[in-house]
Each structure stands twice: as C-alpha cells, then as structure tokens.
C-alpha cells in the first residue's frame, strides 16, 4: 500500500512539473541586401540559405495568425515543426530583396509596419508597394506603433498627460491608419525596440490587439502573457548554426556566459 501511494505521489509530482505549453519559434528580420550594410541587415544569400535549411529539415513556415490561433487553442493542430517569419519597420529592401526569395519558397511573412514612414521616409516602402505585397497573399501587414517611439525616453520626457496621448497615438492611431490603408483588421503588434511594461501591455489590450511581440529571445508560448510573446531577432552576425539553435529551441536552454 505504501509503495502504491509513493508511486502515485511521484507520478502526480511529475505531471505537475511538466511543461505542457505550446511553443512556436517566431523569427524577426529588419533589412536585406546583397551585402551587409549594417548590423541589422542580413545578406540575401544568408536569408535564402536559412529558408533552404528550413525546407531541408522538414520545417513549415506558417502564417502568424494560424500560429497565434493555435497557441490560443482555436486551431487544434499545426505541422509538427512550424516556424513563423516576421519583418519589422517596412524597409524598401523587403520589396526589392526579400520578396523574390519569399516568392521562391512560397512562405507567409508578417510585416510589422509603423505608418508614419510609409510613402514618406526614403528608406521605407510606399503604400502601393505594401498593397502589391499583400496581393501576393504571402505578405500580411500588422502594427509596429505609429512612428517607432522609444517609450522609456518618452515616459521620462513627457508629462503624464502628454505621455498618455502619445501612447494612444502609437497604439490606437497606428491600428486605425493601417486598417484604413490595408482594408483588413489589425490584430497584432510588435513592441518597438522590444520596450514594454505592465501598463503598456494593458494599453495594447485595450487598444484591441489580440497579441503583441517582444524581441525576448525565446519561443512564443501559450504559457506567456499574450501581450509579450517572444521572438528571435535575426541579424547579420548569426551563422546558420545560430539560426538552427533559434528554431529548434536549444538557444532557450543555453547558459549565457557574461
């Protein structure tokens, strides 16, 4: 009898400690080019190599919306080795350099856009280019705030009232503008510079975003706050081995030596 009770205690304890959360790697890119122009630019050849690696190792790139519905339990199953690709900022190289590779591999990509730059900044795409990308059904636009603010600096520099107005513009203003321009609902947000706090998480939810993303280097998980899900920022310094560690989750378990 004692032995049976002991076995049951161990079994229950094991189940209690198990991690039953659903997890998906979400990758974050910024700029693309034939050569590396800066630390945030990834070479076209490196990006193509990464997409080929995913294909050869049995990974499926799935739409962000499908992944999030899976984490929320609205979609019951996805391919066993699923990954999501996102791109922040709306740099014109998405259209000129990334798009041909995306079309070759027929992979879905989410573009996190801050509308103040579109058709205004020299480095950014135009509204027409974004429309053309969405027409392919491979690209989908979501929000990256209105003008890419540093919330930490704004909170220090502005009065409480001014800061509240700024946050409203960044969250609600961006959502409204993007919905007007794209003609579809904007449900997802990427935090600029990965900056967020408890108040901003609440504000994002109030603004109508279903999920928001950081650049905390970990898989997006159903166990985490949906307003602060992890992503891996992929930049020029990352090797194909680094990429592998992001996708298969081994980076999450590595001991960081400072």
């Amino acid at each position: 009898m004692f032995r049976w009770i002991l076995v049951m205690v161990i079994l229950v304890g094991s189940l209690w400690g198990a991690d039953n959360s659903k997890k998906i790697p979400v990758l974050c890119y910024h700029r693309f080019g034939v050569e590396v122009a800066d630390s945030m630019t990834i070479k076209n050849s490196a990006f193509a190599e990464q997409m080929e690696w995913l294909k050869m190792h049995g990974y499926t790139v799935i739409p962000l919306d499908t992944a999030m519905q899976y984490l929320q339990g609205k979609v019951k199953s996805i391919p066993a080795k699923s990954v999501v690709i996102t791109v922040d900022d709306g740099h014109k190289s998405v259209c000129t350099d990334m798009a041909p590779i995306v079309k070759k591999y027929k992979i879905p990509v989410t573009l996190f856009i801050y509308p103040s730059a579109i058709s205004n900044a020299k480095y950014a795409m135009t509204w027409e280019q974004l429309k053309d990308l969405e027409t392919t059904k491979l690209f989908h636009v979501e929000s990256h705030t209105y003008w890419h603010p540093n919330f930490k600096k704004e909170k220090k520099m502005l009065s409480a009232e001014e800061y509240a107005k700024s946050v409203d513009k960044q969250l609600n203003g961006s959502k409204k503008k993007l919905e007007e321009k794209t003609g579809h609902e904007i449900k997802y947000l990427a935090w600029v510079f990965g900056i967020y706090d408890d108040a901003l998480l609440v504000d994002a939810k109030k603004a109508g975003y279903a999920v928001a993303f950081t650049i905390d280097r970990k898989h997006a998980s159903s166990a985490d706050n949906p307003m602060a899900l992890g992503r891996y920022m992929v930049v020029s310094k990352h090797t194909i081995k680094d990429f592998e560690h992001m996708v298969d989750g081994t980076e999450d378990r590595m001991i960081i030596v400072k």
Side-chain angles (χ1 to χ4, degrees), residues 88-90 112-118 123 142-148 174 178:
D88 290 2
D89 296 348
F112 284 112
I113 300 297
Y114 57 99
S116 68
I118 305 303
Y123 61 80
E142 293 292 343
S143 174
H144 196 33
T145 73
Y146 200 91
W147 63 66
H148 206 273
S174 174
L178 290 172

Side-chain angles (χ1 to χ4, degrees), residues 102-151:
V102 169
K103 291 174 183 176
K104 175 184 176 180
Y105 287 93
K106 295 181 174 59
I107 52 177
V109 174
T110 294
L111 303 176
F112 284 112
I113 300 297
Y114 57 99
S116 68
I118 305 303
S119 289
N120 290 319
K122 290 182 179 180
Y123 61 80
M125 287 184 281
T126 65
W127 289 114
E128 189 64 30
Q129 286 174 321
L130 280 177
K131 181 179 179 181
D132 289 344
L133 288 177
E134 285 207 312
T135 299
T136 67
K137 304 299 183 183
L138 295 173
F139 291 88
H140 185 78
V141 171
E142 293 292 343
S143 174
H144 196 33
T145 73
Y146 200 91
W147 63 66
H148 206 273
N150 185 314
F151 282 119

